[in-house]
Amino acid sequence: MAERGGGAWKRDIVRLLQRRDRRSVQAYNKLLEKSYLLGARKLQVESLPLQTELPARSVLDSAQMLECLKRSYEEQIVELQRINEELTCEMIERSTTLKAKKTALEEQRSRLASVSAQFYDLEATRQQLKGQVDELSRQNAAVKAECDNLREHYWLQDMEFRRAAERGLELLKSIMRMKVEAAEHRNEKNERVKQGRLSKELKKATRRPIGTEREPEERKEEEQKMSGAAVPEQEVREKPRRRPFRSASVTSMALSRYVDAFKGLFDFRLKRGNSHGGPSEDHYCCLPSCVATCLPSLVSDTKEAHLSEINAVTFSPNSGLVATGGTDRLVRLWSVAGGRLEHVQTLEGATGGITSLDFDPSGSHLLGASYNNVTQLWRIGDSKCREILTGHADKVTAAKFRSIRHQAVTGSRDRTVKEWDLCKGRCSRTINVFSYCNDIACCDTVIISGHHDKMIRFWDSRGPGCTQVIPEEGRVTSLSISPDHMQLLSCSRDNTLKVIDLRTHNVRQVFRAEGFKCGSDWTKAAFSPDTSYALVGSADGTLFLWNTETGSLERTLAAVHGSPVNAVAWAPSGLYIVSVDQCKKLALWT
């Protein structure tokens, strides 16, 4: 159909060109006729004056008239020849133009043929691509259906897991209840045994004849019984019985002393047995702190630690391990020995880019916040993720352990701060804030949060609301609390660091330096272990070190990082610092 249609319009074009040629020839013939008619009219017009003038000019000779007519006719013939030549030239030009247009028409036809061939090829390609698109659409629909099935299966499995966790918790509670009942039953049995033994001892004591006047040996014996010492039955039998009678007062006194002694012993054992549970919120033991910090001066080792940007770095409490986390969804542990970094382990299970890392005070667990709205808990030595804390609606930007065991705090871009019970794996409290949180610091009962609206807020874990607000000049990017919980170091986007006294909530020091520029909203600063120095990385890769006592810039460390430094950490021992940047580099300074 396409070829038939193409030949028809070509024939139409040829027919139109032929019609145009015929019209041009006809126009040319009409032009010639008009030229002849024009010449004849001119002759008639010229003859009329001559005819009118003949009677007036009768005196003229007929020969002269003929000569004049001849000349006029010759001039007309010359004029007609000139017009004929012009028309001939015009016809030649038009024929040349016609030939050129025929040539152009042939070129257009050939070009049209090639374009038609390209069109057919492109149409075939389009049909092929359309088939591929349809196939991909079917595959995408199948993959989407499979993804929906997997998501539904995941939710079902998650619900089953939660039910299993609840059943496990109920079983644990029932086991604990059974243990408590067994312990109570055992205590009751022990009490009955002790009461029976006590009654036997009392019966034996009542059978013994004791005189009213006691000998020194009997006094010693009674004193031993009063102190809780057991007297062997053989010694009792060997005692000399001096007097066959005893008074009622002495008997009642002996009975009361026996009862008091056994009752005290029984109460002591009950207290010792019940003291095993202890309080539910026990604190971590305090580790020895650094006395004096060594100022870093050179780089002892560098590593390309991750596949992409590194956001978080922290030391373990014993300064033996360094944990790093980045946008490549990896958490890596590095050993620090002899000024060298050695890769120890990669923790698995992270489902999003890491934004924050924190060791618990015992160094046995690591807490990590990530881009996919969750916080994950790992146990050191076990690469598998042990707990996933879900509940935030946006990226989790900070995660910190508290000084109370099995409790943590997280901050998120969803404008909430959450407290977590790590034993139960659930949120115990949610704090709603007007701005999203960039970092968190924790004391014993106080939670400190730094926000995008240039505010530092203080929250009491025992109360419902905010207890204190400290304004900043820029967006708060980092909070670091001193080991003695007396000072707070904040970093903000106005390129300043501030030291805040937590007792008075006043700013003690403000650190600025030429060349220092906060590189991002997650740039982290750190105190030294003895709180004598403040350390932070700049957007040009330089580390700035200030003295917190004098407020002066102590030194700058450069020529290692070629990109903005995201985070720094100071070893609790005071011997090392580490820094990470946006170009995957981890540096150890000594």
Side-chain angles (χ1 to χ4, degrees), residues 489-501:
L489 178 66
S490 69
C491 178
S492 56
R493 289 307 299 270
D494 61 345
N495 305 324
T496 61
L497 271 70
K498 294 182 177 65
V499 177
I500 300 171
D501 191 336

Side-chain angles (χ1 to χ4, degrees), residues 382-587:
D382 186 4
S383 61
K384 301 294 183 180
C385 179
R386 298 180 63 88
E387 189 71 46
I388 298 179
L389 307 177
T390 60
H392 284 291
D394 204 341
K395 177 173 69 175
V396 183
T397 55
K400 297 292 177 64
F401 281 101
R402 297 191 62 187
S403 58
I404 301 173
R405 285 183 182 270
H406 313 303
Q407 291 194 17
V409 181
T410 59
S412 171
R413 292 177 68 95
D414 63 357
R415 295 178 175 84
T416 62
V417 175
K418 291 182 180 289
E419 296 184 58
W420 300 88
D421 186 343
L422 299 180
C423 289
K424 299 178 181 179
R426 65 178 181 86
C427 177
S428 58
R429 181 190 180 192
T430 298
I431 302 172
N432 294 308
V433 199
F434 296 107
S435 176
Y436 60 76
C437 178
N438 284 333
D439 201 8
I440 281 176
C442 298
C443 298
D444 290 337
T445 60
V446 178
I447 301 170
I448 309 169
S449 57
H451 296 272
H452 193 265
D453 62 351
K454 307 177 184 179
M455 294 291 180
I456 299 175
R457 293 179 170 87
F458 292 75
W459 313 86
D460 194 333
S461 60
R462 300 166 297 183
C466 180
T467 60
Q468 183 74 27
V469 176
I470 298 178
E472 291 277 352
E473 298 298 327
R475 296 190 297 271
V476 181
T477 67
S478 170
L479 295 176
S480 176
I481 197 165
S482 61
D484 57 2
H485 293 181
M486 302 296 288
Q487 300 181 69
L488 178 70
L489 178 66
S490 69
C491 178
S492 56
R493 289 307 299 270
D494 61 345
N495 305 324
T496 61
L497 271 70
K498 294 182 177 65
V499 177
I500 300 171
D501 191 336
L502 294 180
R503 293 167 295 184
T504 60
H505 298 97
N506 294 326
V507 177
R508 292 184 57 251
Q509 294 281 356
V510 178
F511 301 136
R512 293 185 179 90
E514 183 179 358
F516 169 65
K517 183 178 180 182
C518 187
S520 64
D521 285 350
W522 52 90
T523 299
K524 297 296 185 289
F527 266 129
S528 65
D530 60 354
T531 325
S532 299
Y533 302 98
L535 177 68
V536 71
S538 177
D540 60 355
T542 305
L543 302 186
F544 288 79
L545 189 65
W546 284 276
N547 190 313
T548 57
E549 297 297 331
T550 62
S552 61
L553 182 65
E554 193 74 21
R555 65 179 59 179
T556 58
L557 306 173
V560 174
H561 296 288
S563 61
V565 177
N566 283 337
V568 294
W570 211 309
S573 63
L575 299 178
Y576 304 102
I577 65 171
V578 289
S579 56
V580 294
D581 62 16
Q582 296 182 6
C583 288
K584 307 176 283 185
K585 182 176 288 186
L586 167 65

Side-chain angles (χ1 to χ4, degrees), residues 211-427:
T212 56
E213 295 180 0
R214 291 171 291 178
E215 297 294 329
E217 293 180 0
E218 292 178 349
R219 293 175 184 173
K220 289 181 181 179
E221 181 183 355
E222 187 174 355
E223 290 176 0
Q224 289 178 359
K225 290 178 181 179
M226 289 292 293
S227 63
V231 180
E233 187 177 354
Q234 185 176 0
E235 292 182 1
V236 175
R237 290 176 181 175
E238 292 178 357
K239 288 290 181 181
R241 300 179 180 177
R242 298 287 181 92
R243 305 187 186 275
F245 304 101
R246 66 169 126 182
S247 65
S249 61
V250 176
T251 304
S252 62
M253 187 184 298
L255 285 173
S256 64
R257 288 176 180 176
Y258 272 112
V259 171
D260 292 339
F262 279 97
K263 191 174 181 181
L265 180 63
F266 182 67
D267 292 340
F268 169 74
R269 292 190 177 181
L270 280 179
K271 290 178 182 178
R272 187 179 61 181
N274 292 334
S275 66
H276 179 70
S280 59
E281 293 187 351
D282 52 339
H283 288 64
Y284 289 99
C285 60
C286 296
L287 295 175
S289 60
C290 173
V291 178
T293 301
C294 300
L295 289 181
S297 58
L298 55 89
V299 177
S300 61
D301 197 7
T302 59
K303 297 287 184 182
E304 188 171 322
H306 287 262
L307 303 177
S308 58
E309 181 179 356
I310 307 175
N311 294 329
V313 63
T314 184
F315 270 98
S316 63
N318 62 359
S319 304
L321 287 177
V322 173
T324 58
T327 56
D328 57 357
R329 304 182 180 182
L330 295 177
V331 178
R332 289 181 172 171
L333 299 179
W334 306 82
S335 170
V336 180
R340 307 296 296 176
L341 291 168
E342 296 293 336
H343 182 253
V344 176
Q345 190 179 14
T346 299
L347 302 181
E348 301 174 358
T351 56
I354 303 299
T355 60
S356 175
L357 292 173
D358 188 38
F359 279 99
D360 72 331
S362 67
S364 60
H365 292 84
L366 181 67
L367 194 66
S370 62
Y371 285 116
N372 62 339
N373 312 342
V374 302
T375 305
Q376 296 176 259
L377 180 68
W378 290 272
R379 182 177 178 84
I380 304 304
D382 186 4
S383 61
K384 301 294 183 180
C385 179
R386 298 180 63 88
E387 189 71 46
I388 298 179
L389 307 177
T390 60
H392 284 291
D394 204 341
K395 177 173 69 175
V396 183
T397 55
K400 297 292 177 64
F401 281 101
R402 297 191 62 187
S403 58
I404 301 173
R405 285 183 182 270
H406 313 303
Q407 291 194 17
V409 181
T410 59
S412 171
R413 292 177 68 95
D414 63 357
R415 295 178 175 84
T416 62
V417 175
K418 291 182 180 289
E419 296 184 58
W420 300 88
D421 186 343
L422 299 180
C423 289
K424 299 178 181 179
R426 65 178 181 86
C427 177

Side-chain angles (χ1 to χ4, degrees), residues 148-166:
D148 293 337
N149 294 331
L150 287 175
R151 186 180 290 109
E152 185 177 359
H153 181 68
Y154 166 75
W155 285 114
L156 292 175
Q157 293 292 328
D158 186 61
M159 291 176 64
E160 291 181 1
F161 172 74
R162 291 180 183 277
R163 293 195 196 98
E166 291 176 359

